[in-house]
């Protein structure tokens, strides 16, 4: 038991360091890239370029396309106003999803008994095909397969069910501050979903997922302004930190 607690403690510390750094690094390079777009939009030489090489399935793997000065200005303005922040926003949300996935995977690997944890509303893995067992080299490979299936089921479930499962599988207590961060995370994730799946237009699904944290009204076009993006960065790092701190507090070995 002491070894398991130590491994849990170390896992939380390592993932906090990795993912908070990832989010900070994303913000750094995104800030530089955003400034580069603004510089390019004011650069006469760049705006005077008439042809650009783009990837192609042709033999040469590239082809040249033309853009007028006016068209290129539109491209850069659209990037600065909407497209760039859409991309960064969805990327940071994906990083948090990766953190949660890595965390659950790590916990289940450390303490495989937690694979028995069930939450009503999640389509848990209750059986495995005999062929998958026979084709595996050992029991650890079978367990890895079960963990993989569990992760798919968990992260296809609603955010509410995910949080309920996380509280149980991580064996932590979700306090008021952590719950508030989860609540905000639901809205960020719902915004990411409509950017990807509904051309950035808020709909009923978004409103349902966001609950009382909804930022957009139905039919409204999502605009990711800098303050909103900064909030995502700050609160995502806080979410990572508070989850990992809760795990470490639970698994700290008393001397």
């Amino acid at each position: 038991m002491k070894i398991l607690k130590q491994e849990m403690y170390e896992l939380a510390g390592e993932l906090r360091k990795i993912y908070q750094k990832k989010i900070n690094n994303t913000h750094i390079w995104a800030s530089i890239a955003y400034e580069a777009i603004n510089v390019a939009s004011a650069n006469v030489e760049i705006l005077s370029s008439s042809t650009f090489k783009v990837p192609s399935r042709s033999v040469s793997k590239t082809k040249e396309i033309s853009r007028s000065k006016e068209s290129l200005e539109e491209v850069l303005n659209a990037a600065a106003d909407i497209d760039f922040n859409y991309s960064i926003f969805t990327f940071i949300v994906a990083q948090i999803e990766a953190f949660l996935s890595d965390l659950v995977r790590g916990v289940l690997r450390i303490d495989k008994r937690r694979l028995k944890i069930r939450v009503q509303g999640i389509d848990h893995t209750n059986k495995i095909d005999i062929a998958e067992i026979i084709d595996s080299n050992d029991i650890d490979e079978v367990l890895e397969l079960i963990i993989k299936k569990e992760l798919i089921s968990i992260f296809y479930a609603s955010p509410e069910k995910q949080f309920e499962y996380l509280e149980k599988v991580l064996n932590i207590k979700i306090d008021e501050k952590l719950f508030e961060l989860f609540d905000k995370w639901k809205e960020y994730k719902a915004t990411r979903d409509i950017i990807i799946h509904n051309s950035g237009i808020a709909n009923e699904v978004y409103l349902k997922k966001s609950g009382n944290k909804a930022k957009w009204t139905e039919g409204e076009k999502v605009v990711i302004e800098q303050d909103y993006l900064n909030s995502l960065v700050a609160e995502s790092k806080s979410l990572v930190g508070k989850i990992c701190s809760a795990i470490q507090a639970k698994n700290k070995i008393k001397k």
Side-chain angles (χ1 to χ4, degrees):
M1 181 62 71
K2 187 175 180 180
I3 294 174
L4 289 181
K5 289 174 74 72
Q6 182 64 30
E7 288 181 355
M8 293 287 187
Y9 188 94
E10 291 175 356
L11 173 70
E14 184 65 17
L15 289 180
R16 174 170 48 207
K17 181 173 66 175
I18 289 171
Y19 278 96
Q20 287 186 337
K21 185 175 181 179
K22 277 179 179 285
I23 295 167
N24 279 332
N25 286 348
T26 299
H27 178 72
I28 291 168
W29 67 253
S31 299
I32 295 170
Y34 186 80
E35 184 59 30
I37 292 173
N38 288 326
V39 170
S41 65
N43 188 302
V44 176
E45 185 176 350
I46 291 175
L47 293 175
S48 298
S49 302
S50 57
T51 59
F52 299 86
K53 287 186 177 181
V54 297
S56 171
R57 295 185 67 188
S58 63
V59 176
S60 64
K61 302 298 182 184
T62 62
K63 71 175 183 178
E64 287 192 344
I65 60 172
S66 61
R67 290 290 184 272
S68 66
K69 179 177 179 294
E70 292 75 17
S71 178
L72 187 54
E73 285 177 336
E74 288 179 5
V75 168
L76 293 174
N77 288 335
D81 293 341
I82 297 176
D83 298 339
F84 186 79
N85 279 355
Y86 269 17
S87 299
I88 301 305
F89 189 92
T90 56
F91 184 53
I92 293 174
V93 170
Q95 287 176 328
I96 299 305
E97 290 183 321
F99 159 71
L100 294 173
S101 179
D102 284 350
L103 182 60
V104 173
R105 182 186 292 107
V107 167
L108 293 177
R109 283 174 175 171
I110 292 169
D111 188 358
K112 296 174 178 61
R113 295 169 300 177
R114 300 190 190 191
L115 279 166
K116 295 187 291 184
I117 290 173
R118 293 291 183 264
V119 168
Q120 188 174 4
I122 295 180
D123 186 20
H124 290 286
T125 304
N126 293 312
K127 59 183 179 180
I128 185 169
D129 195 291
I130 191 169
E132 293 176 315
I133 298 174
I134 294 172
D135 291 340
S136 298
N137 293 317
D138 51 38
I139 187 62
D140 286 336
E141 197 168 308
V142 174
L143 289 168
E144 281 296 314
L145 181 60
I146 296 172
I147 289 172
K148 182 179 179 180
K149 289 175 179 289
E150 275 293 90
L151 288 171
I152 292 171
S153 297
I154 293 158
F155 290 104
Y156 264 111
S158 68
E160 289 80 9
K161 293 299 177 182
Q162 290 175 20
F163 301 157
E164 184 179 347
Y165 178 81
L166 286 171
E167 186 172 23
K168 290 183 177 182
V169 81
L170 302 179
N171 192 25
I172 61 173
K173 182 66 178 176
I174 297 180
D175 61 19
E176 187 176 343
K177 290 182 179 179
L178 190 48
F179 184 82
E180 177 69 13
L181 285 169
F182 276 139
D183 233 17
K184 291 181 179 179
W185 160 247
K186 287 193 299 183
E187 194 282 321
Y188 292 135
K189 189 173 183 297
T191 294
R192 187 281 307 270
D193 290 347
I194 58 173
I195 288 172
I196 294 175
H197 301 299
N198 203 47
S199 302
I201 305 297
N203 54 17
E204 288 184 9
V205 177
Y206 164 79
L207 294 174
K208 182 179 179 180
K209 288 180 177 179
S210 299
N212 62 4
K213 296 295 181 183
K215 183 176 175 63
W216 323 103
T217 58
E218 187 174 357
E220 187 177 2
K221 177 76 172 179
V222 169
V223 177
I224 307 297
E225 296 178 340
Q226 194 60 49
D227 285 347
Y228 184 51
L229 188 59
N230 288 346
S231 294
L232 171 65
V233 170
E235 287 166 359
S236 294
K237 290 189 296 178
S238 185
L239 180 62
V240 170
K242 287 190 178 299
I243 291 174
C244 291
S245 293
I247 294 170
Q248 289 189 316
K250 187 74 175 180
N251 291 280
K252 188 174 183 179
I253 298 172
K254 297 179 181 179
K255 296 181 180 179

